[in-house]
Amino acid sequence: MKAGSLRLRLILGGAMAVLLALVVSWLAMTWLFERHIERRETDELTRVALNLVAGLSVGPTGRPVVASSPADPRLQTPAGGLYWQVSTTAGAVRSRSLWDQALKPPAEASAEAWRARIAAGPFDDRILLVERRVRPDHAGPVVLVQVASEEKALRAARAEFGRDLAIFLGGLWVVLSAAATVQVVLGLSPLARIRADLARLRGSASARMADDHPSEIAPLIAAINDLAQAREADLVRARRRAGDLAHSLKTPLAALSAQSRRARAAGAAEAADGLERAIEAMAAALETELTRARAAAARETAVHAQAEVLPVVERLVAVVERTAEGERLMFDVAIDSGLRAPLAEDVLTEMLGALIENAARFARRRVLVTGVAVEGGVRLLIDDDGPGMEEGRAEAALMRGGRLDEAGPGHGLGLAIVRDLVEASAGELTLGRSNLGGLAVALLWRGRGAEMV
């Protein structure tokens, strides 16, 4: 996933949201646990205090008297962590665990119920203190009963719980983040189909996106289909205008050709030559534009088209053999039976017809047409035993739209136009030296559904 990816944003956003929720949960649960253990400890201290009150009395001097001390061993150990103190204005009685320390009296203690508070305690420690003022004898003095335990035990329990909870929530975060990742991947999986549909739209203006997408992206699909329909209509109109323009100019060109012949018959040979050169250039430009329109149409139909190669080549060879150039040549066809090329039959016919015709014009004795299925594609090769093309001229011809027949008079498609037809069907055109000594023109389509039937 690249930076800026929608999937990455959603996954990171989900992971951060889960992490924030778990951190808040950790703080809240730790606080609740702390409150819980404080209440439990307060209840325990209250039970100890009630045991003290059960045996509490006031002596003749006004000092409190405790009949029996609770049996907890911590009360018998100095700084044992559990303390009690019973006091009046005349004196106080303390647990052995307080040793030489004392519990500080509150600013105000309730005579109605036990109250708990956190306070500074003996031995420089903080304590949880439960206290209440009671009157053992209705006519006697008020006695302050206090029971306390160290707060550090509560802190240790809270820290241990927080640590264990953090480990658990960390594992939970990993699990929930993985679940969020799966959810995002599943949620965005329809976009992969959109990408495939858009690839089809890019390859063919007549293609449309499927309608069975989730309802949330249905408006987007409808908008894209409307845009594709408008694009197809624009392409159709543009091709029609180009074809109409080219065809409309053929009649004036024919009229100019007639005028050129009359001029030559009248003895104006030089003017007729110039006029014929201009007519030939204009005719070549018209043929170029018509072929480009056909190449655009080929690009639209190349997605699903399949043409059987051998019948097309045999028909073309049969026609060329009847021409003045072809009747003196030997044509060899070596094409796998059932080989299919990934383009429409009329486009393949136009493409191979131009190349075979030009090969026949320059060949001395032989033209060889071969076709084989290669790994993941199909390869066609037109060889001749003519003079070939000088080294470096092939690339120049492609760059400037040179004609295969530019060495002499005649007709035929330009090499760049053949290249346009090949590239319109996602193929490759290369020129090289033939094993027969002349020019070799290779057409290759990779991974475009070449088939054998």
Side-chain angles (χ1 to χ4, degrees), residues 104-140:
K104 296 180 180 179
E108 178 181 358
S110 173
E112 301 293 333
W114 297 98
R115 300 179 63 178
R117 61 187 175 94
I118 302 294
F123 310 107
D124 298 324
D125 197 5
R126 294 182 64 78
I127 57 174
L128 173 62
L129 183 63
V130 173
E131 56 194 1
R132 180 180 178 182
R133 297 185 187 275
V134 299
R135 195 184 298 272
D137 300 324
H138 291 290

Side-chain angles (χ1 to χ4, degrees), residues 17-255:
V18 171
L19 179 61
L20 179 61
L22 292 179
V23 168
V24 173
S25 299
W26 179 81
L27 293 173
M29 294 173 71
T30 303
W31 178 78
L32 290 174
F33 177 77
E34 180 181 4
R35 293 291 303 275
H36 173 72
I37 59 175
E38 283 185 6
R39 284 195 298 269
R40 292 290 301 271
E41 187 66 14
T42 298
D43 293 343
E44 184 64 29
L45 294 177
T46 302
R47 283 193 291 270
V48 173
L50 290 175
N51 289 334
L52 289 173
V53 171
L56 179 63
S57 61
V58 179
T61 61
R63 289 173 58 86
V65 176
V66 176
S68 62
S69 174
D72 194 310
R74 292 176 294 172
L75 294 172
Q76 307 303 319
T77 304
L82 182 61
Y83 316 102
W84 61 263
Q85 177 178 292
V86 179
S87 57
T88 63
T89 54
V93 180
R94 303 179 182 89
S95 63
R96 186 176 181 82
S97 57
L98 278 173
W99 197 246
D100 58 349
Q101 303 287 314
L103 300 178
K104 296 180 180 179
E108 178 181 358
S110 173
E112 301 293 333
W114 297 98
R115 300 179 63 178
R117 61 187 175 94
I118 302 294
F123 310 107
D124 298 324
D125 197 5
R126 294 182 64 78
I127 57 174
L128 173 62
L129 183 63
V130 173
E131 56 194 1
R132 180 180 178 182
R133 297 185 187 275
V134 299
R135 195 184 298 272
D137 300 324
H138 291 290
V142 174
V143 179
L144 175 62
V145 179
Q146 295 174 296
V147 180
S149 64
E150 292 177 328
E151 191 203 18
K152 64 183 179 182
L154 304 180
R155 292 199 303 269
R158 180 180 60 211
E160 183 177 355
F161 174 80
R163 182 171 58 252
D164 293 344
L165 181 62
I167 295 174
F168 169 76
L169 292 180
L172 182 60
W173 177 73
V174 173
V175 173
L176 293 178
S177 296
T181 301
V182 172
Q183 182 181 16
V184 169
V185 171
L186 292 178
L188 295 181
S189 58
L191 297 183
R193 291 186 54 206
I194 293 179
R195 184 164 57 247
D197 287 349
L198 289 176
R200 290 193 302 107
L201 285 178
R202 187 165 52 249
S204 172
S206 61
R208 294 293 182 270
M209 301 190 70
D211 296 329
D212 57 343
H213 288 280
S215 58
E216 289 78 6
I217 59 176
L220 174 63
I221 301 302
I224 293 176
N225 282 337
D226 291 342
L227 181 62
Q229 185 173 356
R231 168 176 171 261
E232 182 184 15
D234 291 341
L235 288 174
V236 170
R237 284 193 294 269
R239 287 199 297 268
R240 185 182 299 117
R241 285 196 297 268
D244 292 344
L245 176 61
H247 285 292
S248 65
L249 290 176
K250 284 188 174 182
T251 300
L253 286 177

Side-chain angles (χ1 to χ4, degrees), residues 317 320 323 325-332 351-370 381-389 403-405 411-413 415 418 431 434 436 438-441:
V317 169
V320 175
T323 64
E325 292 87 0
E327 64 185 4
R328 60 183 176 82
L329 300 174
M330 179 176 64
F331 290 87
D332 292 330
M351 192 184 305
L352 294 179
L355 296 177
I356 292 174
E357 180 185 354
N358 281 285
R361 292 185 63 242
F362 290 98
R364 294 186 177 94
R365 296 182 182 85
R366 185 183 180 196
V367 174
L368 174 62
V369 182
T370 58
L381 187 65
I382 298 90
D383 292 279
D384 65 65
D385 60 352
M389 188 174 288
R403 296 166 58 92
L404 286 176
D405 60 346
H411 65 280
L413 287 174
L415 182 58
V418 177
L431 303 179
S434 168
L436 302 179
L439 179 66
V441 182

Side-chain angles (χ1 to χ4, degrees), residues 308-310 312-314 316-317 320 335 341 343 345-359 369-370 380-382 413 418 421-422 441 443 445:
E308 195 168 350
V309 179
L310 183 57
V312 172
V313 174
E314 289 177 340
L316 291 171
V317 169
V320 175
I335 297 176
L343 64 164
E345 183 174 317
D346 58 338
V347 178
L348 180 64
T349 300
E350 186 142 20
M351 192 184 305
L352 294 179
L355 296 177
I356 292 174
E357 180 185 354
N358 281 285
V369 182
T370 58
L380 304 179
L381 187 65
I382 298 90
L413 287 174
V418 177
L421 289 171
V422 176
V441 182
L443 309 178
W445 291 270

